[in-house]
Each structure stands twice: as structure tokens, then as C-alpha cells.
Amino acid sequence: MSVNVEAYHRIKEELAAGHVQLVAVSKTKPEADIRELYELGQRDFGENYVQELVEKEPVLPKDIRWHCIGHLQSNKVKYIAPFVHLVHGVDSWKLLKEIGRQGDKCNRVIDCLLQVHIAREETKFGMSEEELGEVMEKLPSLGNVRVRGMMGMASFTVDESRVKEEFSFLKKLYDRFAEHPSVNPDWNILSMGMSADYQLAIFEGSTMVRVGSLLFGARE
Ligand SMILES: *Cc1c(COP(=O)(O)O)cnc(C)c1O
């Protein structure tokens, strides 16, 4: 078994004080690993690839809350719409609209987070502050989708001050948009922090961390 049970308990303890939620990122990991963590009480699991999500969901316990954390293409929303718990990586108005449309079709409200580009790296997905403002203006016209907050990924660097700065920037945006007239009362999720930087993220105000390799070991 490759789940790091000790790390799981340690992280859970670290998160408990601030009521921060843990999403266990199980991408590329086998069902057996997910079951092992499930047996310890973990219910929130995150996957990046739609294909993997739709393969794992039917064969694992029904009370698992599946988080789609990766880059999501509009044409794939329909595959996860019936069961997904939270879509973290909404980076365009087009995608948000499609999620609302699929929510209508499945007759359920789909929760999601707006992904903001906070890293200085080009490779990370997410909206700019300006795009975010535009999306917020249009929110009331949406279908069965509820925007619960924001998500961001910091730069992949050992420079802690830079990572902190990026998280702090996201937290400020999150707080600012919480006051926006289009925002619903359920705006209460700030998803930031991964294995390498979740402690910094919590310090900067994260309410939900997405941790993979610390729990499941390194990926191929
Ligand atoms: C893979 C991934 C994670 C988890 O990364 P670790 O470094 O293994 O903790 C978190 N968030 C996103 C968006 C990811 O793609």
C-alpha cells in the first residue's frame, strides 16, 4: 500500500485548527489507494482528467465527493455533470455557461470555483483580474451553476516569499469579490495550496487545499 497514513493524520491535524478542507488528489493513482484513504475517513477526492473521473466514480463508494481540479474543456462537462461535487478550474465564461447548461440538463446545481492566474509562469491556466471582473458582471444570467469562490496555483519555485505574495494576492481578490453584488451567499471557498505549499496557503487564508503526492507518493 502506498498511502502515507502518517502524513494523512498529520495534515488533517494541521488543517483542523483553521477548519481548512482537504481534497486528496488521487490522479493517476489506483482505486485501492483511494479506498485505503476512504477507510480512514477521507471523502473528498480530486482528479484532473475527465476520463479518469468517469472511470473511478462508478466503482468507488457513492458518498465520495469528487472534485474536478484540472483544466476542463467545455465539451467534456457533460460527462461529469451528473455527479461532480466541485469544479475548481473554471477559467472562462464559455466554460461556466456550459456548466450551467449541463446543470440544467441534470437538474442539479453544480458548484464551481473561478480559477485565477496568479503565478508568473505562462503555463498555468486561469483568468486575469480583468477577465474575472467581466465574468462576475455576467453571473446573474447563468443556469444551474453556483460560483462558490476561487482557485489558484502558485509558481513552482523554492522562493517562499514569491509563493506567499501570489497567495496573498488571490486572497485579496477573493475578499474583494465577496462584496460583489452578483455574488451569492455561498461564496466561501478559496482553493489554494498543494503538497509543496499548503502550509503557506493556509497562512494566507486558504479554506481548501489540494494535496496529492504527500498522501499518495510521487506520480510517474
Ligand atoms: C496535481 C495537482 C495537485 C496536487 O499536487 P501535489 O503536488 O501532488 O500535491 C493540486 N492541484 C492541482 C490543480 C493539480 O493538478
Side-chain angles (χ1 to χ4, degrees):
M1 289 292 173
S2 56
V3 167
N4 188 335
V5 175
E6 200 183 307
Y8 177 65
H9 289 303
R10 178 170 47 77
I11 293 168
K12 284 295 281 183
E13 212 166 284
E14 285 175 315
L15 301 188
H19 305 285
V20 177
Q21 285 179 283
L22 172 66
V23 176
V25 177
S26 47
K27 62 180 174 214
T28 78
K29 298 296 175 182
E31 275 167 54
D33 286 3
I34 297 176
R35 280 185 201 280
E36 197 186 346
L37 215 50
Y38 178 89
E39 293 304 325
L40 297 176
Q42 181 65 24
R43 291 295 178 269
D44 291 272
F45 290 89
E47 292 281 342
N48 284 52
Y49 311 105
V50 167
Q51 178 74 25
E52 227 182 313
L53 256 177
V54 300
E55 278 169 20
K56 285 173 173 173
E57 189 271 338
V59 296
L60 282 157
K62 285 296 150 208
D63 59 343
I64 285 183
R65 295 183 287 266
W66 292 104
H67 296 245
C68 177
I69 64 169
H71 180 65
L72 178 61
Q73 287 170 300
S74 299
N75 60 3
K76 297 210 171 141
V77 174
K78 56 179 177 285
Y79 302 116
I80 59 170
F83 66 86
V84 71
H85 177 68
L86 182 65
V87 179
H88 290 232
V90 178
D91 59 358
S92 72
W93 173 247
K94 181 181 169 217
L95 177 58
L96 196 58
K97 247 185 358 190
E98 176 60 11
I99 295 171
R101 211 170 66 90
Q102 295 299 332
D104 283 341
K105 275 196 178 171
C106 304
N107 209 13
R108 64 188 292 260
V109 176
I110 302 176
D111 280 342
C112 55
L113 305 176
L114 303 176
Q115 182 170 1
V116 185
H117 188 276
I118 55 170
R120 268 181 263 169
E121 293 151 18
E122 296 263 323
T123 51
K124 302 244 157 72
F125 293 101
M127 293 186 263
S128 66
E129 192 174 345
E130 195 187 346
E131 287 171 293
L132 196 65
E134 287 165 12
V135 165
M136 295 301 285
E137 289 305 321
K138 292 190 272 189
L139 279 191
S141 64
L142 278 178
N144 252 348
V145 55
R146 179 169 54 178
V147 178
R148 300 286 306 270
M150 288 177 181
M151 179 270 212
M153 289 170 86
S155 296
F156 184 70
T157 170
V158 291
D159 182 354
E160 288 197 357
S161 63
R162 180 160 149 197
V163 172
K164 278 187 78 165
E165 232 170 72
E166 292 170 356
F167 284 149
S168 148
F169 170 70
L170 185 61
K171 170 71 159 96
K172 284 200 192 95
L173 279 182
Y174 170 78
D175 287 341
R176 171 140 64 84
F177 281 105
E179 306 292 322
H180 197 283
S182 304
V183 144
N184 67 64
D186 301 304
W187 179 273
N188 57 10
I189 303 175
L190 179 56
S191 168
M192 59 183 198
M194 310 176 22
S195 290
D197 55 21
Y198 75 92
Q199 285 158 327
L200 285 175
I202 293 167
F203 186 81
E204 295 299 333
S206 170
T207 73
M208 184 178 274
V209 295
R210 311 173 309 270
V211 178
S213 42
L214 270 187
L215 298 171
F216 294 108
R219 289 176 295 272
E220 306 267 293

